[in-house]
Amino acid sequence: MPRSPRHVATPPLGVHVTPDGVSVAVLASHATAVDLCLIDPARDGSLRERRVPLDGPSFGVWHAHVPDVAPGQRYGFRVHGTWDPAAGLRHNPAKLLVDPYARGVVGTVDWDASIAGYVATSDGPGALDGDELGPADPRDSAPHVPHSVVVDVAGLRARTPDPRANRPYVPWRDTVVYEAHVRGLTMLHPDVPDELRGTYAALGHPAVVEHLTSLGVTAVELLPVHAKADEPHLAALDLTNYWGYNTLGFFAPEPSYATRAARDAGPDAVLDEIRTAVHALHEAGIEVLLDVVYNHTCEGGDDGPQLSWRGLDNTSYYLHDGNVPARLLDTTGTGNTLDFRRPRVVQLALDSLRYWADVVGVDGFRFDLAVTLGRSWDGFEPDHPFLVGLQTDPSLANLKLVAEPWDVGPGGWRTGQFPAPLAEWNDRFRDAARQFWLADVARLHRGEPGPGHDGVRDLATRLAGSADLFGHGDPPLARGPVASVNFVTAHDGFTMRDLVTYDEKHNEANGEDGRDGSPHNRSWNHGFEGVGDPRDPGTARIAALRARSVRNLLATLLLSAGTPMLTAGDEFGRTQGGNNNAYCQDGPTSWVDWDLAPWQRELLESTRALLALRREHPALTMDAFYRGTPLPGDAPSQPDLSWYDAAGEPFTHDDWHDPETRTLQMLRRTPVVGSSHVLVVLNGALSPMEVALAGRGNTDRRWRRAWSSREGTRAMAEHPEREPGERVILDGVSLVVYLAAPRG
C-alpha cells in the first residue's frame, strides 16, 4: 500500500549537502507545486536554469533528494498555486524566491519592475507602481534578485577551528557590552590593512581586539550581520540600509561585510571569515552577541517586492489583519510583521538562532522589537512558545539573551516583563540619566522653574539596578540587576558627544526633510548648537562643560548596578554631526574616526579608568539586588546599600519626594572579604555644594578619592584621604567616586 506524502519523513528545512548531492525542503503549505531551480550564470551574463520538481507536500513541506549538486551551486524556488491577493495568496512561478534557510546568498535587488509579484512599472530604483491586488506579473525576476547558494557547512566545520570551543562564558555580573557595527567600527582604523577594513576579518584583527581589551569591555554586540536588502525609498535616494535592520536571509552572513577575497571565493569563504573573527575575539576573552531581526523581513508592505516568504507562503509567514481584502498587519513600523502565532515561524527563528550559536559560535543575541516575537492571539505573553523555546533549548538557554522590550503595536512597551534568563534594554535608565544630567540642568541654566520631575528618586532607582522593573517574577528579585541592560546611547539616536552638543536633530542627509528620528532626546547643547567657532573664547569654556557632562553620563552608566552597554566611539567622543537616525549613512557620519584630539584621548583614559573601577571592586558588580539590609557579619548600621544627603544624613521620605533635591550620596558595600566600600556622590545643582562624606562614625575606613568628572583621571593622587563625615566641596553638575578599603 503506497504511503501518503503527509507521512513521508522529510529532510530538515533548507538545502543541505549529502555525499552524492543535496537534500531539499521548503515550506509552501498553500502551493500546488514547487520547483527547485538550479541557476548557472553564463559567460554572456545570462542565466541558465534547471528545474527539479519537489515532492509533497508533507504537512506543508515540499522536499526531495537531488543528486549531483555541489557546494557553490546557485539556486532558488518557483512556487505554483493560487494567485488571489485579496485572500492573501500570492503564488507566482515567474518569481525566483530566496530560500528562507539559505546559508549563503549572492547578488542584490536591482528594483526592476519584475521583482513585484503583481503587474507593476518602475521609473527608477525603488519605484514600483501598480495595483498589489491586481493580476500576477508574468515576467521572470531571476536576473534581478539575489540567489541562494549551497554551502557545505559540515565540511567547513570539519576543517576549521570550532569557535564554540573557546567561548569565554563571561558571568553576567562582569559583563560590559560594546555595541558596534562591523563596517563602522573598522572602516577607518589606521592599524587595520586597507583590504581588511570594514570586514569580519577586521573585527578580529589584533589592533581592534587590543582596543576592546584595553578598554575593558567583555562582549561585542554587533548590529545585524544577517543578509539584508535596502528599502525602496533608500534605493531611490541612492542610499543604503547601513544598520542592516531589513533581513533577506536569517542564516546567511551579509556578504558585503566580507573581504573581497572571501566574496570572490564564495559564501563558504564568507562564513569562514566570520567564524574566524568570532574565534579570534574568543581568544581575547571577548564574547560576540548578534543583534537579530526576526520581527519582519525586507519584503516590506503589501506593495513590496516578492523575494522569498511572500511568494512561498504569505499567509503562514506574515501577520494579517483578518480583513478582506487581506492586508498585512504592521507592529514593527516596516510594512510587515512575521506571525509568531505560527509554529513554522517560531521554528524558523529558533533554527536560525541555533545555527548561529552552533556553527558560527556566537555567545548570545539581542532581539530587535522583541515584543513582536512574544505576541500571541491576545497580545504579548511572557510564556509565549518562542520565549519558552529560548529558555529551554540546549543550544540557546546558556547564552546571553537580550530583549529590546518594545514594538509599535498595541501594548508595545513591556520593559521588565520578559522572563528569565532574558535581560532587557532599559530605556528608563537612558531617560533618567539624560534627564538628570542634561535636560534638568538645561532648565536650571535658562532660569526656568525647577525640574519638577522625580528629583533624584528615579535616578537613584536606576543606579541601584531598577528593581521596580526587574524585581518582579516568581520568585521575586530572582532576575537580579544584571537583567537591566543600562544604556545612555545606542546606534539609534545621538552619540554621547552629540547629546551634549545639539538641542535638535540634524538629519537632513537622510533625505526625509528632517522628519525621521526622534525629537525627544533630552539633550543639551550647553549654550550653542554644534561645534562652534574655535576662535571664539567662549568655545573652550563650553567644550570643557560638555566634556564634564559626557563624563557624568559615562560614570552614571558604568558605575550603576546592572549590565552596562557602551556604544562604539562614545569612549572617546565620536560625533555624527547631530544626526540621530544615521541608519542610511554608510560613510564618515557613521564610521568611527580613530584620529583623536587630545581631549578625546583624555576621555578615553577616563572611560578605561571607570571600567577598571567597575572590574576591580565587587561592590559595583553585584548580581543580586541590594536589599538595604546589613551584610552577614556586619553591624546593623552597615547595610549593603544606603543613601545620604549633602549633610551626610540618611535620606528621608521627604528628601526622596522633594523635586528640588539635586545632591545624593550612594554608598555600596559587598560581602566580599577585604573589598572596598564605594561611595558615589552626585551634584546635579549648578553651584558647588559642601558635602559631608557618608559613613560618619565608621572608624575602620577612610575615603580615598578615585575619580571625578571634573578631572577625569588627572590629579587623583593630590587628594588626601578623608574621614567619614568630613566635609568636602563638590563642583556643580559633577560626580565623584570615593573608595574605602579596610584600615591595616
Side-chain angles (χ1 to χ4, degrees):
M1 180 177 178
R3 292 176 296 171
S4 163
R6 291 183 177 82
H7 298 95
V8 174
T10 61
L13 291 168
V15 175
H16 300 270
V17 175
T18 67
D20 61 343
V22 293
S23 68
V24 182
V26 63
L27 176 69
S29 61
H30 295 85
T32 57
V34 178
D35 296 329
L36 170 70
C37 303
L38 303 174
I39 308 295
D40 296 303
R43 290 184 177 180
D44 63 0
S46 63
L47 301 176
R48 292 180 297 179
E49 182 177 327
R50 296 171 287 154
R51 300 190 185 184
V52 180
L54 301 183
D55 299 326
S58 298
F59 298 106
V61 175
W62 298 79
H63 53 90
H65 176 268
V66 184
D68 301 323
V69 175
Q73 175 68 59
R74 296 191 188 192
Y75 72 96
F77 295 111
R78 296 189 187 273
V79 180
H80 305 260
T82 301
W83 176 266
D84 186 1
L89 302 175
R90 294 179 175 270
H91 305 107
N92 185 342
K95 310 306 166 187
L96 185 74
L97 304 175
V98 171
D99 179 6
Y101 278 70
R103 269 54 176 174
V105 296
V106 294
T108 58
V109 178
D110 71 6
W111 292 101
D112 182 83
S114 66
I115 68 173
Y118 56 92
V119 175
T121 59
S122 176
D123 59 3
L128 295 177
D129 186 20
D131 179 5
E132 64 268 23
L133 298 176
D137 181 83
R139 291 169 291 184
D140 184 9
S141 67
H144 308 288
V145 296
H147 300 160
S148 310
V149 180
V150 177
V151 174
D152 184 9
V153 174
L156 177 64
R157 295 177 72 180
R159 64 179 183 270
T160 57
D162 185 352
R164 296 178 301 173
N166 61 347
R167 274 184 174 150
Y169 287 111
V170 178
W172 268 113
R173 67 176 179 271
D174 299 327
T175 297
V176 178
V177 179
Y178 186 82
E179 190 197 40
H181 188 285
V182 170
R183 185 169 168 83
L185 179 65
T186 65
M187 196 65 189
L188 298 178
H189 199 296
D191 297 326
V192 173
D194 290 349
E195 67 274 14
L196 300 185
R197 293 184 183 180
T199 70
Y200 302 122
L203 186 66
H205 188 274
V208 175
V209 173
E210 191 281 331
H211 174 74
L212 299 173
T213 54
S214 68
L215 183 59
V217 300
T218 69
V220 174
E221 181 178 297
L222 299 177
L223 269 65
V225 298
H226 288 168
K228 63 185 177 71
D230 297 326
E231 293 91 338
H233 79 276
L234 293 180
L237 293 169
D238 196 27
L239 296 171
T240 64
N241 188 318
Y242 168 73
W243 286 350
Y245 291 88
N246 210 41
T247 307
L248 172 68
F250 293 113
F251 294 78
E254 169 54 36
S256 67
Y257 299 157
T259 58
R260 169 59 64 185
R263 297 198 304 271
D264 290 345
D268 281 67
V270 172
L271 177 59
D272 185 31
E273 187 173 305
I274 189 172
R275 278 168 47 91
T276 300
V278 171
H279 190 275
L281 288 164
H282 285 176
E283 286 291 288
I286 297 174
E287 296 181 309
V288 179
L289 314 182
L290 298 186
D291 195 335
V292 287
V293 188
Y294 295 109
N295 56 77
H296 75 281
T297 78
C298 66
E299 290 186 308
D302 292 291
D303 60 348
Q306 191 138 322
L307 302 175
S308 180
W309 307 270
R310 194 194 305 277
L312 284 163
D313 209 337
N314 183 52
T315 57
S316 292
Y317 278 119
Y318 289 123
L319 187 64
H320 285 75
D321 62 7
N323 295 327
V324 178
R327 294 290 186 182
L328 295 175
L329 190 62
D330 182 10
T331 66
T332 66
T334 65
N336 70 62
T337 304
L338 284 170
D339 189 352
F340 273 78
R341 302 173 304 178
R342 309 286 186 179
R344 289 296 192 180
V345 173
V346 172
Q347 179 189 359
L348 172 69
L350 291 174
D351 286 348
S352 169
L353 292 167
R354 277 190 292 268
Y355 176 78
W356 287 91
D358 293 342
V359 174
V360 184
V362 301
D363 306 279
F365 304 92
R366 178 265 190 189
F367 297 95
D368 182 64
L369 301 183
V371 171
T372 292
L373 314 185
R375 285 191 179 273
S376 191
W377 299 95
D378 297 320
F380 175 77
E381 295 183 357
D383 58 353
H384 186 283
F386 175 71
L387 301 178
V388 172
L390 291 180
Q391 299 171 68
T392 57
D393 187 282
S395 292
L396 305 175
N398 291 320
L399 302 184
K400 289 189 167 69
L401 306 173
V402 180
E404 182 186 39
W406 50 79
D407 68 9
V408 300
W413 188 81
R414 297 284 177 168
T415 304
Q417 299 177 39
F418 280 75
L422 274 78
E424 302 172 41
W425 275 24
N426 188 351
D427 53 321
R428 292 281 297 275
F429 182 97
R430 173 200 63 199
D431 293 347
R434 293 185 183 191
Q435 187 71 41
F436 183 83
W437 290 118
L438 298 179
D440 288 351
V441 177
R443 290 173 60 89
L444 294 173
H445 263 278
R446 292 193 295 265
E448 297 177 6
H453 296 287
D454 295 324
V456 295
R457 191 167 71 251
D458 190 34
L459 182 66
T461 303
R462 307 305 146 216
L463 288 167
S466 297
D468 61 328
L469 297 173
F470 301 99
H472 307 291
D474 185 16
L477 306 180
R479 296 178 72 187
V482 294
S484 172
V485 176
N486 300 330
F487 67 105
V488 176
T489 68
H491 65 276
D492 185 4
F494 280 141
T495 66
M496 194 86 75
R497 179 178 173 183
D498 288 354
L499 275 177
V500 304
T501 309
Y502 298 94
D503 279 355
E504 308 294 336
K505 59 183 179 177
H506 296 270
N507 298 357
E508 293 77 13
N510 296 353
E512 299 181 43
D513 297 324
R515 295 186 301 272
D516 64 304
S518 173
H520 306 295
N521 296 292
R522 291 180 168 89
S523 61
W524 177 38
N525 66 17
H526 289 71
F528 59 79
E529 192 80 349
V531 177
D533 185 352
R535 297 168 296 182
D536 186 338
T539 299
R541 180 180 63 85
I542 295 296
L545 292 175
R546 288 172 171 173
R548 184 188 302 186
S549 290
V550 168
R551 289 193 289 267
N552 286 331
L553 292 167
L554 283 170
T556 302
L557 171 65
L558 299 178
L559 302 180
S560 292
T563 304
M565 185 185 78
L566 187 66
T567 305
D570 276 352
E571 67 269 31
F572 47 66
R574 181 177 75 90
T575 179
Q576 292 182 165
N579 191 323
N580 77 343
N581 188 36
Y583 76 106
C584 57
Q585 297 299 319
D586 186 4
T589 294
S590 296
W591 298 344
V592 174
D593 185 354
W594 298 86
D595 184 13
L596 306 184
W599 71 268
Q600 291 180 287
R601 296 186 185 280
E602 291 179 3
L603 181 58
L604 175 58
E605 290 307 312
S606 269
T607 309
R608 287 172 172 157
L610 287 167
L611 283 168
L613 282 174
R614 181 181 184 88
R615 184 169 60 251
E616 294 165 4
H617 298 285
L620 295 172
T621 56
M622 298 283 285
D623 55 7
F625 282 114
Y626 296 96
R627 295 176 180 265
T629 56
L631 295 168
D634 272 0
S637 61
Q638 298 290 304
D640 56 358
L641 172 67
S642 48
W643 305 93
Y644 299 88
D645 62 15
E649 299 296 329
F651 248 59
T652 66
H653 179 273
D654 290 342
D655 290 329
W656 285 122
H657 291 83
D658 181 356
E660 301 301 319
T661 299
R662 300 284 295 166
T663 305
L664 176 71
Q665 299 187 69
M666 178 187 192
L667 177 54
R668 292 158 69 170
R669 301 177 177 90
T670 172
V672 178
V673 176
S675 64
S676 295
H677 295 172
V678 179
L679 180 66
V680 180
V681 189
L682 305 90
N683 180 19
L686 297 181
S687 302
M689 179 71 66
E690 185 178 71
V691 174
L693 296 178
R696 185 183 292 113
N698 187 339
T699 60
D700 296 332
R701 298 176 186 248
R702 289 179 177 175
W703 291 118
R704 175 177 62 84
R705 186 164 169 165
W707 190 89
S708 162
S709 65
R710 179 188 179 191
E711 300 161 308
T713 58
R714 293 171 295 159
M716 292 296 100
E718 298 175 7
H719 294 278
E721 289 187 338
R722 303 285 187 177
E723 295 289 342
E726 188 174 344
R727 296 182 178 276
V728 298
I729 300 298
L730 194 67
D731 292 300
V733 193
S734 67
L735 182 153
V736 180
V737 182
Y738 290 90
L739 301 174
R743 296 194 187 188

